Amino acid sequence: PLPARDRRRAFGHRPAMIHVTREGAIVTIALARSEAKNALPIAAWEARIERDPDNMELRLHYGDVLISVGHYQRAVEALEKTQASFPTAGKVYWHLAHAYWHRAMRKDDGARRRSMEKKSYLKARAAFETFLRLAPDDSRASEARYRLKLLREADFGRY
C-alpha cells in the first residue's frame, strides 16, 4: 500500500476509514470517493453481508459506508432491507433516517439540492419519529429530536 501522504495525493483527498469489530478482529476498509475505487470495498461489504445476513450491525455499518461515499440511493435500499429484517430495532430507524436525510439533500448526480426532495424528506421525518417511539431513552434521542425539528422547519420541493 501507498504511504498515507501518497494516498492522499493519489486520491485527491483523505479516504474515509471505516472500522468494524467482529469477534475480536478489527477490519479496516479505506474508501475513496470515485466509483472505480469504491467497487472493490463495496463488493467486500456485500460478500460479508451475504455470509452473515443476520448481522444487523454489519448491515448498519454498510449503510454508513454507502452514505460516506455518496451512494445515497444504495444506502437507502440497503437500510430498507435491514429495516424489513429487523423492524423493531430502533437503531435501524436512526441509520435509515440519516440515509433519507442525505438522499433528500442530494440530486442523483451528487450535487446539493436547493431544497429537500419531498419523498425522502417525508421518509426521514417518519424514520426519526419511529426511532424516537422505539428508543426514547437512546443516547441519540436528543439529536433525533433536533433533526426532526429541523426537518419540520425545512423547505422541500420549492426549487
Side-chain angles (χ1 to χ4, degrees):
L2 294 170
R5 183 180 69 246
D6 295 331
R7 272 197 312 267
R8 280 193 300 272
R9 191 176 307 130
F11 296 145
H13 69 287
R14 185 174 186 181
M17 299 300 287
I18 306 297
H19 301 279
V20 178
T21 304
R22 173 87 172 137
E23 298 169 350
I26 296 179
V27 178
T28 304
I29 297 177
L31 298 169
R33 291 231 181 244
S34 79
E35 185 69 35
K37 292 173 188 144
N38 290 329
L40 184 60
I42 288 174
W45 279 94
E46 291 168 349
R48 289 188 69 204
I49 290 170
E50 190 174 310
R51 285 191 308 269
D52 191 5
D54 296 329
N55 187 336
M56 181 181 68
E57 292 295 326
L58 183 63
R59 289 173 172 227
L60 297 177
H61 286 297
Y62 175 59
D64 289 341
V65 167
L66 291 171
I67 290 170
S68 73
V69 296
H71 294 292
Y72 307 117
Q73 185 58 38
R74 284 179 70 183
V76 165
E77 292 166 1
L79 290 168
E80 284 175 342
K81 288 179 186 175
T82 304
Q83 182 259 333
S85 298
F86 305 95
T88 59
K91 66 170 55 175
V92 172
Y93 292 92
W94 170 261
H95 289 269
L96 189 56
H98 280 275
Y100 286 136
W101 177 291
H102 287 284
R103 180 73 181 113
M105 293 299 296
R106 300 285 179 177
K107 297 178 184 177
D108 290 336
D109 65 359
R112 189 169 175 88
R113 294 179 189 274
R114 291 177 64 186
S115 65
M116 298 183 96
E117 183 262 324
K118 185 175 182 178
K119 184 177 175 184
S120 296
Y121 157 84
L122 293 172
K123 287 183 176 186
R125 280 184 61 172
F128 275 124
E129 289 167 353
T130 303
F131 168 74
L132 289 170
R133 187 171 32 80
L134 292 174
D137 298 326
D138 189 280
S139 62
R140 297 169 287 204
S142 62
E143 185 178 345
R145 286 185 196 93
Y146 173 73
R147 287 181 179 259
L148 193 54
K149 178 181 177 275
L150 290 177
L151 285 169
R152 288 178 178 144
E153 296 171 354
D155 287 334
F156 62 87
R158 297 191 183 184
Y159 302 103

